[in-house]
Amino acid sequence: AGSRLQHEYVPSAHLSAACTCLAWAPAGARQPPSKDGPQRKKRKSEVGEVDKQLDILAIGTAVGSILLYSTVKGELQSKLDGGHDSRVNCVRWHQDSCCLYSCSDDKHIVEWNTQTCKVKCKWKGDNSSVTCLCISPDGKMLLSAGRTIKLWDLETKEVYRHFTGHATSVSSLMFTTVKPMNESKPFDGITGLYFLSGAIHDRLLSVWYIRSDRKEKNAVMSFTVTDEPTFVDLTVSEVKEEPVKLAVVCRDGQLHIFEHILNGYCKKPLTSNCTIQIATPGNDGDSTPNPVPILAAAFCTDKQSLLLVYGNTLQPIIEKVSLNTSEPHICLVRDIQKVLSLKTDAALTKVKTPVVNSDTKVLVPGIPGHSTAVKTPASGKEKKKNKRKPGETEESIEERLGALDIDVSKVKTPGGLPQTDSFAVLLVQGLESNDAEILNKVLNTRKENIVKNTVARMPIHAVIPLLHELTKRLQGNPYSASVMVRWLKSVFTLHASYLSTLPDLIPQLGMLYQLMESRVKTLQKLSRLHGRLFILVTQVAASQAVQEIPEVNQTAKLVYEDDSSEEEGSDDEMIADKDSDENWDEDEEKEEQSDEQDMTVEKEINGDSDLEPENESEEE
């Protein structure tokens, strides 16, 4: 009632095996079920009201084990192992026997005996992971869902009915009625009942009807909401005319309330009768009202008022609200900061302020030699200053440092660039969180001394992750590879002694070695290719230059020596004439020569120099 944390339990393996689902054991495990049906007992927010003796909590983990925890004793009662190989998605207690049902990503459903902590029965529930379970009101049937929904007979472990289900994995399953609407036929415990299902990323909640025949597999009606449903609670309809009330909390922090009498098929999706939102008050027009997300909601036993859980998950506020659901939209105004500050005020009463003498000097931690002016606790105004009112703006760090009498300019780094020690811290943070933005900022530095100092100052345990990261980046863009090589060089020079002590060094650096080997192999071919291309390019450039030169020379010839060129030309012609006359005379004397010799003569006439020695002598 006071929204206070009553009990906290952190499993020893909470980091490796996170808790994935919860279910309260029914109060009297051997007593017959109360009229509310099994679902009512599993609502976390109603634990106090259902029964004061709710004690055992079944917790499913991400590695497949189930923990049974006693809240009364405050210790782990037992651990159920050996049933699942993978993440447990849902756990449900049977209301009569002390059986527990669980389903997992390994596609199986397991029935546990919680007294012996052994697997009672295990069977394959689906072809993909099973995400949700629900036990029928009479305890003889079990609903299971991955994407399709199946109704199992718990005695024979056979499928009794199939339903189409959803496109995504089902996150909630619950029965909405405990008796069939038409009471003419005898009731066999399951036929004629309605149940509800919701799935992740699906804005429709579907209602299914269990018929006596197997023909119909589709939903009879659906409820539409604004976003993916994260928490569903309902009041079970026990009388024919009584409507089912449904409270659905969505991911966007809104709560939708539906009221509907389930009477067969309905074509259109039904919209909510009432939507509830919570917002902060806008203080004096300074700040705009902010929405406060609703985390969960549950109906109280009177089926009228609601328990709302809102705020943040670390410090949720639980409040009982009675609403007039005839209005379509209700916005509740709640000042979260006031509520939380009231809680923290009450907790802080034990803190005492030390009495300080006015002459003493107080040193500020971290910066030697700086003294701060001591505020004497006598003035009551100083105390209240720290607690900020919701609307006020916070003092900047510069102002605070000014109040501490520290020279601000000394604290700031020149040029705004982080120093190498902060680079080393950033690098380690980036490697641990695998944050690409931080890693890019650090690894893209090209200054040799910064790279060396950073590698020298980084802790030993980060060396191998850094090498893996560098290997990954070397495979990518060649430009980044040239920068990464600088880092590799300094890692190997500075941390060689540490690396040589690692027993599994060869597999760790194998990838990098292969990468370098393959690059070095192609280097020779590439350099040859580079050489050839270089020759080609230079030749093309040279020939272009040669082609360009004659044009210039020709223009020069036209400009100079007009007379002399004519005389030379006439001389040349005369010489040529003489030569040809002699050749023709010789040719007439030797008419009986073969075709080959004719050809050689022609060659000589043309001025060719590749004559054979025999022909030359003959001609002579």
Side-chain angles (χ1 to χ4, degrees):
S3 309
R4 285 246 170 84
L5 184 65
Q6 205 170 349
H7 198 96
E8 187 165 11
Y9 167 60
V10 181
S12 56
H14 70 283
L15 291 175
S16 57
C19 301
T20 52
C21 50
L22 298 169
W24 289 98
R30 299 202 172 278
Q31 295 165 9
S34 64
K35 62 180 180 173
D36 268 1
Q39 285 298 315
R40 308 293 303 117
K41 294 195 171 169
K42 285 160 196 160
R43 291 284 148 249
K44 246 190 316 189
S45 31
E46 264 188 75
V47 174
E49 292 184 16
V50 175
D51 199 313
K52 292 287 180 286
Q53 293 172 339
L54 278 183
D55 172 23
I56 306 294
L57 190 60
I59 306 168
T61 64
V63 289
S65 56
I66 297 170
L67 311 173
L68 297 184
Y69 177 74
S70 166
T71 50
V72 174
K73 295 176 190 168
E75 59 185 36
L76 196 63
Q77 189 165 298
S78 48
K79 186 177 178 182
L80 310 179
D81 262 334
H84 296 295
D85 313 331
S86 158
R87 170 195 161 103
V88 180
N89 289 321
C90 185
V91 280
R92 287 281 177 260
W93 290 87
H94 195 281
Q95 55 266 39
D96 308 340
S97 61
C98 52
C99 281
L100 178 73
Y101 293 91
S102 64
C103 64
S104 160
D105 280 353
D106 64 6
K107 310 175 189 177
H108 286 79
I109 301 171
V110 175
E111 181 179 10
W112 300 89
N113 183 337
T114 51
Q115 291 183 332
T116 60
C117 298
K118 295 274 190 332
V119 176
K120 204 169 168 187
C121 181
K122 178 177 177 177
W123 72 98
K124 189 175 179 181
D126 209 326
N127 288 332
S128 58
S129 58
V130 186
T131 54
C132 206
L133 296 175
C134 176
I135 297 165
S136 67
D138 66 345
K140 290 178 184 169
M141 296 278 182
L142 174 78
L143 279 173
S144 81
R147 287 183 182 152
T148 57
I149 302 170
K150 294 177 183 175
L151 182 64
W152 301 85
D153 187 331
L154 283 179
E155 277 183 24
T156 59
K157 307 290 186 288
E158 285 174 0
V159 178
Y160 180 70
R161 291 282 182 276
H162 273 282
F163 298 94
T164 318
H166 296 257
T168 50
S169 45
V170 174
S171 57
S172 51
L173 275 177
M174 47 188 72
F175 277 90
T176 55
T177 48
V178 289
K179 287 189 209 136
M181 290 303 162
N182 52 343
E183 290 161 4
S184 53
K185 295 173 187 172
F187 179 44
D188 64 353
I190 194 76
T191 309
L193 295 189
Y194 289 90
F195 68 90
L196 178 91
S197 70
I200 58 169
H201 311 310
D202 192 345
R203 296 195 300 118
L204 287 178
L205 290 153
S206 303
V207 176
W208 312 80
Y209 181 57
I210 302 165
R211 299 170 188 276
S212 50
D213 57 352
R214 288 170 176 266
K215 285 177 191 171
E216 190 62 49
K217 291 183 179 182
N218 294 334
V220 286
M221 64 181 78
S222 55
F223 299 108
T224 173
V225 289
T226 51
D227 201 347
E228 173 190 333
T230 54
F231 196 96
V232 183
D233 188 43
L234 50 84
T235 64
V236 178
S237 147
E238 293 171 16
V239 193
K240 192 176 177 183
E241 288 77 29
E242 188 184 4
V244 169
K245 281 189 180 175
L246 191 64
V248 184
V249 178
C250 296
R251 192 166 287 279
D252 58 7
Q254 295 186 37
L255 165 64
H256 300 277
I257 293 176
F258 298 87
E259 234 176 277
H260 190 73
I261 296 172
L262 301 176
N263 49 5
Y265 187 71
C266 182
K267 200 172 183 181
K268 283 185 179 174
L270 301 165
T271 53
S272 61
N273 298 34
C274 177
T275 303
I276 299 164
Q277 287 171 291
I278 299 180
T280 57
N283 282 356
D284 311 325
D286 294 347
S287 58
T288 51
N290 289 328
V292 177
I294 300 176
L295 306 172
F299 288 101
C300 301
T301 39
D302 62 356
K303 297 192 179 184
Q304 293 301 320
S305 47
L306 274 165
L307 273 177
L308 294 184
V309 183
Y310 58 90
N312 63 358
T313 44
L314 296 172
Q315 272 189 313
I317 299 163
I318 302 171
E319 185 185 339
K320 190 172 178 178
V321 187
S322 346
L323 298 163
N324 174 20
T325 52
S326 57
E327 295 175 35
H329 289 280
I330 300 175
C331 184
L332 305 172
V333 178
R334 296 284 182 273
D335 194 345
I336 284 201
Q337 286 168 321
K338 265 190 190 167
V339 180
L340 290 178
S341 60
L342 283 171
K343 282 166 72 176
T344 47
D345 278 7
L348 287 176
T349 46
K350 295 174 186 172
V351 179
K352 289 181 181 176
T353 48
V355 180
V356 184
N357 188 4
S358 56
D359 303 334
T360 47
K361 237 187 185 188
V362 179
L363 294 178
V364 182
I367 302 156
H370 283 293
S371 61
T372 169
V374 177
K375 313 273 195 296
T376 48
S379 57
K381 288 179 191 172
E382 302 296 340
K383 268 195 208 170
K384 290 176 191 169
K385 221 176 179 180
N386 275 350
K387 277 181 191 153
R388 191 158 52 89
K389 291 193 184 84
E392 284 177 13
T393 52
E394 201 171 349
E395 283 185 338
S396 71
I397 290 178
E398 236 174 284
E399 287 167 8
R400 290 187 194 177
L401 292 178
L404 288 174
D405 198 26
I406 297 173
D407 188 3
V408 182
S409 58
K410 284 180 192 171
V411 181
K412 286 186 177 172
T413 56
L417 265 174
Q419 301 305 299
T420 42
D421 50 354
S422 65
F423 254 125
V425 173
L426 271 178
L427 183 60
V428 175
Q429 282 177 353
L431 290 169
E432 281 175 0
S433 62
N434 207 357
D435 190 330
E437 204 173 322
I438 296 178
L439 288 171
N440 287 341
K441 187 176 176 184
V442 177
L443 294 176
N444 285 345
T445 47
R446 292 172 177 273
K447 292 184 180 172
E448 289 284 341
N449 58 343
I450 289 185
V451 172
K452 272 186 185 169
N453 291 343
T454 307
V455 172
R457 291 182 188 194
M458 66 184 283
I460 289 291
H461 65 80
V463 172
I464 289 292
L466 176 62
L467 281 175
H468 287 319
E469 181 63 30
L470 292 173
T471 311
K472 201 164 78 184
R473 284 166 183 260
L474 272 170
Q475 293 166 338
N477 194 325
Y479 292 110
S480 67
S482 63
V483 184
M484 295 311 133
V485 168
R486 295 179 190 189
W487 283 89
L488 271 178
K489 182 181 168 185
S490 43
V491 169
F492 286 136
T493 48
L494 291 162
H495 294 292
S497 53
Y498 162 65
L499 288 170
S500 60
T501 61
L502 294 176
D504 58 343
L505 184 65
I506 294 169
Q508 292 276 19
L509 297 183
M511 184 84 165
L512 184 64
Y513 187 70
Q514 283 173 359
L515 196 70
M516 288 166 130
E517 280 285 288
S518 61
R519 295 237 168 143
V520 172
K521 270 180 192 168
T522 54
L523 179 67
Q524 199 177 3
K525 293 176 185 173
L526 278 173
S527 51
R528 276 188 205 154
L529 181 63
H530 179 263
R532 286 175 186 170
L533 287 172
F534 183 70
I535 291 169
L536 274 175
V537 170
T538 46
Q539 279 184 347
V540 169
S543 65
Q544 280 177 350
V546 168
Q547 281 171 10
E548 285 163 12
I549 292 161
E551 292 174 11
V552 181
N553 289 354
Q554 281 170 6
T555 54
K557 275 177 187 170
L558 288 171
V559 175
Y560 298 124
E561 304 178 21
D562 294 336
D563 308 340
S564 61
S565 64
E566 277 178 20
E567 291 166 21
E568 279 173 18
S570 60
D571 291 354
D572 290 349
E573 284 173 294
M574 286 171 73
I575 294 161
D577 285 353
K578 282 179 188 174
D579 283 348
S580 59
D581 287 345
E582 286 168 20
N583 291 354
W584 279 114
D585 295 340
E586 281 175 80
D587 219 33
E588 283 164 10
E589 288 167 17
K590 298 170 187 169
E591 272 179 5
E592 295 161 357
Q593 274 193 333
S594 67
D595 295 344
E596 283 177 30
Q597 285 155 347
D598 283 7
M599 281 172 73
T600 56
V601 173
E602 278 173 70
K603 278 188 187 173
E604 201 193 340
I605 295 163
N606 297 340
D608 285 355
S609 60
D610 53 354
L611 292 171
E612 292 174 343
E614 294 171 30
N615 296 356
E616 276 181 39
S617 63
E618 281 173 0
E619 304 229 340
E620 281 168 19

